[in-house]
């Protein structure tokens, strides 16, 4: 398991701050017996949905299967902004949690090519003003994209794409 996915799972399932937050929102954590997926029908279906979405994103992108963890994170991000079940009034999971409509105008396809503008401090007079990169996610702490540079394979968090 990659370090990034392990950190994400720790944040989602083992975070001490999540328990009081979940309780305040009326979310009850229930667990069934070990090795009995039939007890977790909703969770199993959701996991299959996310797996299918993540695989479809990877297949449509120029990236290799080595980036599956980033594809999963984007699949969860997109899934939380899709309308939920009719019992919930077709509101998104984001709306149900935060009581406001999500802004989806910034969303782009996973793996699309973009050009990240370089700041004037990071370039010289006759050098390129942007670098070619592939969108592999969204920044967690601000409205920006997580980009993977084509040549150096380094991650850049940029709003100017």
């Amino acid at each position: 398991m990659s370090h990034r996915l392990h950190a994400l799972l720790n944040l989602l399932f083992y975070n001490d701050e999540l328990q009081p937050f979940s309780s305040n929102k009326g979310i009850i954590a229930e667990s069934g017996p070990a090795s009995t997926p039939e007890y977790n029908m909703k969770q199993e279906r959701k996991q299959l949905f996310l797996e299918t979405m993540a695989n479809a994103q990877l297949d449509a992108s120029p990236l290799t299967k080595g980036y599956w963890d980033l594809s999963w994170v984007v699949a969860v991000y997109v899934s939380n902004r899709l309308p939920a079940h009719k019992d919930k009034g077709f509101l998104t999971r984001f709306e149900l949690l935060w009581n406001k409509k999500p802004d989806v105008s910034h969303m782009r396809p996973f793996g699309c090519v973009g050009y990240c503008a370089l700041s004037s401090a990071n370039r010289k007079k006759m050098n390129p003003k942007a670098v070619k990169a592939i969108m592999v996610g969204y920044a967690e702490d601000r409205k920006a994209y997580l980009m993977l540079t084509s040549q150096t394979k380094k991650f850049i968090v940029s709003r100017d794409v």
Side-chain angles (χ1 to χ4, degrees):
M1 182 183 303
S2 76
H3 175 68
R4 292 176 292 204
L5 184 62
H6 185 67
L8 178 68
L9 289 174
N10 277 337
L11 178 68
L12 290 175
F13 296 109
Y14 308 116
N15 191 341
D16 290 337
E17 296 173 11
L18 184 64
Q19 297 304 326
F21 178 79
S22 299
S23 297
N24 289 341
K25 294 289 183 179
I27 299 170
I28 300 168
E30 297 176 356
S31 60
S35 302
T36 54
E38 58 272 6
Y39 279 93
N40 304 324
M41 294 293 276
K42 277 187 177 180
Q43 194 273 334
E44 294 288 327
R45 283 195 309 269
K46 184 66 175 181
Q47 184 174 342
L48 181 61
F49 170 76
L50 291 172
E51 183 179 330
T52 304
M53 183 186 280
N55 285 336
Q57 287 178 153
L58 264 179
D59 289 343
S61 76
L63 298 169
T64 64
K65 296 287 182 193
Y67 294 98
W68 65 269
D69 54 343
L70 294 171
S71 180
W72 268 82
V73 172
V74 172
V76 170
Y77 185 88
V78 171
S79 173
N80 286 336
R81 284 148 182 84
L82 293 174
H85 195 268
K86 65 181 176 182
D87 293 343
K88 308 236 189 264
F90 294 109
L91 297 174
T92 65
R93 288 168 184 82
F94 185 92
E95 280 179 278
L96 293 170
L97 192 59
W98 300 108
N99 295 323
K100 65 178 183 178
K101 286 197 174 287
D103 179 19
V104 295
S105 63
H106 67 286
M107 292 175 67
R108 299 289 180 261
F110 179 84
C112 68
V113 177
Y115 292 86
C116 298
L118 298 173
S119 66
S120 56
N122 293 339
R123 60 182 159 90
K124 300 205 187 284
K125 187 173 186 176
M126 297 303 288
N127 287 358
K129 295 184 175 148
V131 62
K132 188 176 181 178
I134 298 170
M135 198 285 283
V136 292
Y138 302 96
E140 295 176 19
D141 55 345
R142 58 185 179 260
K143 206 173 225 181
Y145 300 101
L146 178 61
M147 306 291 287
L148 178 68
T149 59
S150 300
Q151 295 174 347
T152 60
K153 299 294 183 198
K154 289 185 179 179
F155 289 103
I156 299 173
V157 176
S158 178
R159 208 180 83 185
D160 301 321
V161 180

